[in-house]
Amino acid sequence: MRLRWDLFCSVVDNYGDIGICWRIARELVSQHGQQVRLWVDDLESFQRIWPAIALGCGLQQCEGVEVRAWSTDMPEVEPADVVVEAFACRVPEAFLLAMSARSPKPVWVNLEYFSAEAWVAEHHGLSSPHPRLPLTQYFFIPGLGAGTGGVPGDPAELATLRQFQVDARAVSVFRSALQIPQNPGLCVSLFAYENPAVWGLMRALAMHPQRTTLLVPEGRVLAQVAAFPGLDPGFARNPQPGQATSVEHLEVRVLPFLSQDAYDRLVWSSDINFVRGEDSFVRAQFAGKPMVWQPYLQNDDAHWHKLEAFSAQYMQGLPVTARIAMSEAWRVWNAGEIKPPAWQEWLGHLPEFQSQAQSWAIWLETQPGLVRELVKFCVSKL
Ligand code: TRH
């Protein structure tokens, strides 16, 4: 059934909000034949992850999606069949009134962040009536397992990336374009928030017998990486994309901020991925490579609960010593502690992490896909 969708995305900070909405919008169109209007209040962030997006353009078409700049003077438009408010953003009052005046009323969805916590299955699908208007909103919460909104991953996109991963020539072309060495040794991608723990990691990598290339796209953690003792002082002052510098067995290489497609390829072609937030975190799981996750910092330690809930499931297939090593490294990373021994221990278990990450990725692909579930859910509420 071809429905019309209004998908609203407000960029709070960082790139996860638009990153996830953009994947959903594209998959709705390409895999489910839906008609999507994506409202975004920050085209600059959008353009960073998808360079084809034009700035200052109120309405544009991209990848079959109608992209609208969402500003305070939102034009009067008829709401679509489905209205999705992503990540607690709120549509303007005038639009809500138009929704309540529409017949039939749109299916109104509050799309939440992905989490492995148990409450997800309890709250997913619940409804909440509007206090004044004849409208009902439904919670749609992505997660792991039955009763959740599923995992964000476009099956066609995953198949393409899986092919890329085993295509040595394609990986080589990708690396050349970014000046990544063809034989990088242990190839580690690093996408993180500011984190003092990065020095402990770098110390362990520098001492590790295998040569390591640490690939750091421009972003929040770069200044701390560059200030690591022993790196070239010029680099430390002003690290620029394309530059590289070494200390002992570790080479640090700065990448430009990549398009979302290129970032996916970086994750799929690296041996280890440090990821953060929601979207890169799920990409790293599908890539089937060892990873370290830094959830977005929240009040009341909510990020620690998220981390614990996910770790309990993700790490359960590991032998005990490997599980302890992984869990300690993830703790140290998120606590911001500089502890090289935790990383040495962790590096010692990489082969176990590799096979566990592969099994996890295979299992994850058997899980319900978020967009398919979302379409089914909305059709059922029409
Ligand atoms: O940028 P993030 O930290 O986003 C966060 C989280 O989503 C968080 O939960 C949310 O509450 C907060 O924003 C407001 O991390 P995330 O989720 O991994 O999103 C990053 C996106 O940026 C993802 O789609 C990948 C993309 N990306 C690029 O396109 N190019 C790059 O070079 C890099 C490093 C990332």
Side-chain angles (χ1 to χ4, degrees), residues 200-217:
L201 169 70
M202 290 172 76
R203 167 78 12 236
L205 292 176
M207 293 182 328
H208 189 54
Q210 194 181 357
R211 196 163 65 85
T212 300
T213 303
L214 184 65
L215 300 169
V216 193

Side-chain angles (χ1 to χ4, degrees), residues 140-222:
F140 191 93
I141 320 179
L144 294 174
T148 73
V151 184
D154 177 344
E157 188 65 28
L158 292 175
T160 307
L161 286 165
R162 213 164 283 300
Q163 261 176 13
F164 164 78
Q165 198 172 42
V166 294
D167 181 345
R169 211 183 118 63
V171 170
S172 157
V173 170
F174 171 75
R175 286 186 171 154
S176 297
L178 290 171
Q179 296 170 284
I180 298 171
Q182 291 299 334
N183 296 306
L186 187 66
C187 187
V188 182
S189 86
L190 175 64
F191 180 41
Y193 306 114
E194 295 81 359
N195 192 345
V198 80
W199 281 17
L201 169 70
M202 290 172 76
R203 167 78 12 236
L205 292 176
M207 293 182 328
H208 189 54
Q210 194 181 357
R211 196 163 65 85
T212 300
T213 303
L214 184 65
L215 300 169
V216 193
E218 276 179 303
R220 291 173 56 173
V221 77
L222 181 58

Side-chain angles (χ1 to χ4, degrees), residues 11-20 23 48-50 113 190-191 193 217-218 220 256-264 266 275-281 283 295-296 298 306:
V11 176
V12 177
D13 58 0
N14 307 310
Y15 301 99
D17 303 307
I18 183 57
I20 297 164
R23 286 190 199 278
R48 287 210 85 196
I49 67 156
W50 205 263
Y113 290 110
L190 175 64
F191 180 41
Y193 306 114
E218 276 179 303
R220 291 173 56 173
F257 194 84
L258 304 169
S259 71
Q260 199 179 48
D261 268 354
Y263 178 69
D264 287 356
L266 178 70
V275 286
R276 71 184 207 193
E278 313 287 333
D279 192 47
S280 54
F281 164 54
R283 296 316 108 208
Y296 184 71
Q298 285 173 279
K306 274 191 161 187

Side-chain angles (χ1 to χ4, degrees), residues 145-346:
T148 73
V151 184
D154 177 344
E157 188 65 28
L158 292 175
T160 307
L161 286 165
R162 213 164 283 300
Q163 261 176 13
F164 164 78
Q165 198 172 42
V166 294
D167 181 345
R169 211 183 118 63
V171 170
S172 157
V173 170
F174 171 75
R175 286 186 171 154
S176 297
L178 290 171
Q179 296 170 284
I180 298 171
Q182 291 299 334
N183 296 306
L186 187 66
C187 187
V188 182
S189 86
L190 175 64
F191 180 41
Y193 306 114
E194 295 81 359
N195 192 345
V198 80
W199 281 17
L201 169 70
M202 290 172 76
R203 167 78 12 236
L205 292 176
M207 293 182 328
H208 189 54
Q210 194 181 357
R211 196 163 65 85
T212 300
T213 303
L214 184 65
L215 300 169
V216 193
E218 276 179 303
R220 291 173 56 173
V221 77
L222 181 58
Q224 279 167 321
V225 168
F228 180 66
L231 291 181
D232 179 65
F235 176 83
R237 271 193 303 279
N238 188 19
Q240 290 297 318
Q243 280 184 333
T245 178
S246 297
V247 54
E248 295 172 54
H249 295 159
L250 171 66
E251 177 179 289
V252 177
R253 188 165 278 275
V254 184
L255 302 180
F257 194 84
L258 304 169
S259 71
Q260 199 179 48
D261 268 354
Y263 178 69
D264 287 356
R265 280 161 178 71
L266 178 70
V267 169
W268 282 66
S269 58
S270 295
D271 299 311
I272 302 173
N273 295 295
F274 283 73
V275 286
R276 71 184 207 193
E278 313 287 333
D279 192 47
S280 54
F281 164 54
V282 178
R283 296 316 108 208
Q285 293 177 55
F286 276 123
K289 299 296 183 72
M291 64 173 192
V292 179
W293 178 38
Q294 185 182 24
Y296 184 71
L297 205 71
Q298 285 173 279
N299 293 331
D300 304 329
D301 285 344
H303 53 292
W304 282 111
H305 299 306
K306 274 191 161 187
L307 188 78
E308 274 160 29
F310 178 75
S311 303
Q313 295 193 52
Y314 181 69
M315 299 177 192
Q316 70 183 348
L318 283 168
V320 178
T321 49
R323 190 162 67 224
I324 294 170
M326 186 186 276
S327 143
E328 174 61 1
W330 285 36
R331 190 197 64 74
V332 163
W333 188 243
N334 282 284
E337 293 174 12
I338 304 180
K339 282 200 172 161
W343 297 107
Q344 282 154 4
E345 186 65 30
W346 175 78

